[in-house]
Amino acid sequence: MDPPLATDSKHKSRRTKGKKRSRNCSSETLSKKERQSQLSSNLKRRKCESQSKPSSFLEKMRARLSGGHFRMINEKLYTCSGEEAFDYFKDDPELFNVYHTGYQEQMSHWPEQPVNIIVDWLKSHSSSLTVADFGCGNAKLARNVKNKVFSIDLVSTIPSVISCDMSNTPLESSSVDVAVFCLSLMGINYPSYLQEANRVLKPCGWLLIAEVRSRFDPNNGGADPDKFSESVRKLGFTLASKDITNKMFVLFYFKKKEKASVGTNIEWPGLKPCMYKRR
């Protein structure tokens, strides 16, 4: 009986070795599959990277071209009259979109937006006040207050915006309670914009002006804020308050006198053009 037992033992040993070899082969096969999968994934990733590089390059080039176009238009607006700017965009309205896209990109770097402060100011007053927003852009002011707002700019990108030269609006005289200029005193004839605001404002109406701080820095070529305020005063206003706490912009709050005669030969200080540097 012993030999058969020995034979069974040998068979078992062979089967065990066979199983081990089978498991080893299976392990090797699985390892190859994993390596092939990893290689395939790497190839796909490299292909995607090679395809994304031209796209990324083109996007950067488009951004540079767009930024350069914005700076060109921005310089044009600061160095021409309102009438010339109106005709400039009238000939090619798409330039207005290019300008405002660049403008929004520049504003995204500001820690605080002056339009938001003006919105808060209006919300702290009666919603029955009628507002004229000179240089409204995308009409953000009108979209964030309950007041009736006449949104005015050189181009009408939405139906509610009045397209015109800001020195010659279709608004009736003494028809609004608040006139707003939020970073919009651009052009060599900016005093004519303020004179138009004076025309459409009711007696005791408000004139709110937010401008880039550097434009009112006499130490760096900007206008003297006191001389500017004096010129506005001669137009028939009193300076209710001034906010110079923000490092990016200054805010003036003027109130129109109930009965005032507009001064003649008002000397207006030149406002330094705000030129954006290439980033």
Side-chain angles (χ1 to χ4, degrees):
M1 298 295 292
D2 290 342
L5 289 173
T7 301
D8 290 343
S9 177
K10 287 179 181 178
H11 285 310
K12 287 180 180 178
S13 176
R14 287 172 187 159
R15 283 197 298 271
T16 301
K17 288 179 180 178
K19 288 180 179 179
K20 286 182 179 179
R21 282 196 297 271
S22 178
R23 278 196 293 267
N24 288 338
C25 288
S26 177
S27 177
E28 288 175 3
T29 303
L30 184 62
S31 178
K32 287 180 181 178
K33 286 182 179 178
E34 288 177 343
R35 286 199 296 271
Q36 288 175 350
S37 177
Q38 186 176 6
L39 179 61
S40 177
S41 296
N42 288 339
L43 289 172
K44 286 180 180 179
R45 188 175 68 252
R46 287 173 184 172
K47 185 178 180 180
C48 289
E49 287 176 352
S50 65
Q51 289 176 343
S52 66
K53 282 180 180 178
S55 177
S56 177
F57 174 75
L58 288 173
E59 286 175 2
K60 287 181 180 179
M61 288 303 296
R62 288 192 190 101
R64 287 184 180 179
L65 288 171
S66 178
H69 212 171
F70 161 73
R71 287 187 292 273
M72 180 190 73
I73 299 170
N74 182 70
E75 183 174 350
K76 170 76 174 178
L77 295 178
Y78 273 108
T79 55
C80 72
S81 69
E83 184 179 2
E84 290 171 331
F86 181 66
D87 291 337
Y88 179 66
F89 286 128
K90 189 176 181 180
D91 291 338
D92 190 352
E94 181 57 30
L95 292 176
F96 191 77
N97 294 327
V98 173
Y99 171 76
H100 271 281
T101 298
Y103 172 82
Q104 292 298 332
E105 197 281 329
Q106 292 292 334
M107 288 296 99
S108 68
H109 299 285
W110 286 29
E112 190 171 23
Q113 304 292 319
V115 66
N116 294 335
I117 295 177
I118 295 173
V119 165
D120 291 341
W121 185 92
L122 285 170
K123 287 181 177 180
S124 69
H125 291 71
S126 174
S127 61
S128 65
L129 297 177
T130 302
V131 183
D133 184 9
F134 288 79
C136 65
N138 61 3
K140 182 178 180 179
L141 184 65
R143 290 186 283 107
N144 286 276
V145 296
K146 295 179 180 179
N147 307 64
K148 178 178 176 57
V149 180
F150 293 105
S151 299
I152 302 164
D153 216 321
L154 296 167
V155 174
S156 176
T157 56
I158 52 179
S160 61
V161 174
I162 300 170
S163 173
C164 66
D165 173 4
M166 293 194 300
S167 65
N168 185 24
T169 72
L171 302 183
E172 296 182 4
S173 298
S174 303
S175 60
V176 301
D177 301 290
V178 184
V180 174
F181 289 88
C182 187
L183 307 180
S184 56
L185 285 182
M186 307 172 74
I188 56 177
N189 65 321
Y190 83 86
S192 64
Y193 306 157
L194 297 177
Q195 290 165 358
E196 177 67 359
N198 183 45
R199 181 186 72 80
V200 303
L201 272 172
K202 298 175 183 177
C204 301
W206 288 92
L207 171 63
L208 275 54
I209 299 173
E211 265 303 335
V212 179
R213 189 182 183 90
S214 62
R215 304 190 78 193
F216 288 97
D217 183 2
N219 295 322
N220 290 295
D224 185 330
D226 293 332
K227 289 183 178 180
F228 174 77
S229 298
E230 178 62 18
S231 297
V232 179
R233 186 191 66 78
K234 290 180 179 179
L235 193 59
F237 293 83
T238 58
L239 178 62
S241 64
K242 178 173 63 176
D243 184 356
I244 57 173
T245 58
N246 194 285
K247 66 178 182 179
M248 303 302 290
F249 56 86
V250 294
L251 269 162
F252 298 91
Y253 299 86
F254 294 100
K255 192 162 188 179
K256 185 175 180 179
K257 296 176 182 177
E258 187 173 2
K259 293 181 181 180
S261 58
V262 178
T264 57
N265 300 321
I266 301 174
E267 293 185 11
W268 293 92
L271 293 183
K272 178 182 177 181
C274 181
M275 304 300 184
Y276 293 98
K277 297 179 181 179
R278 181 175 179 177
R279 291 184 178 275

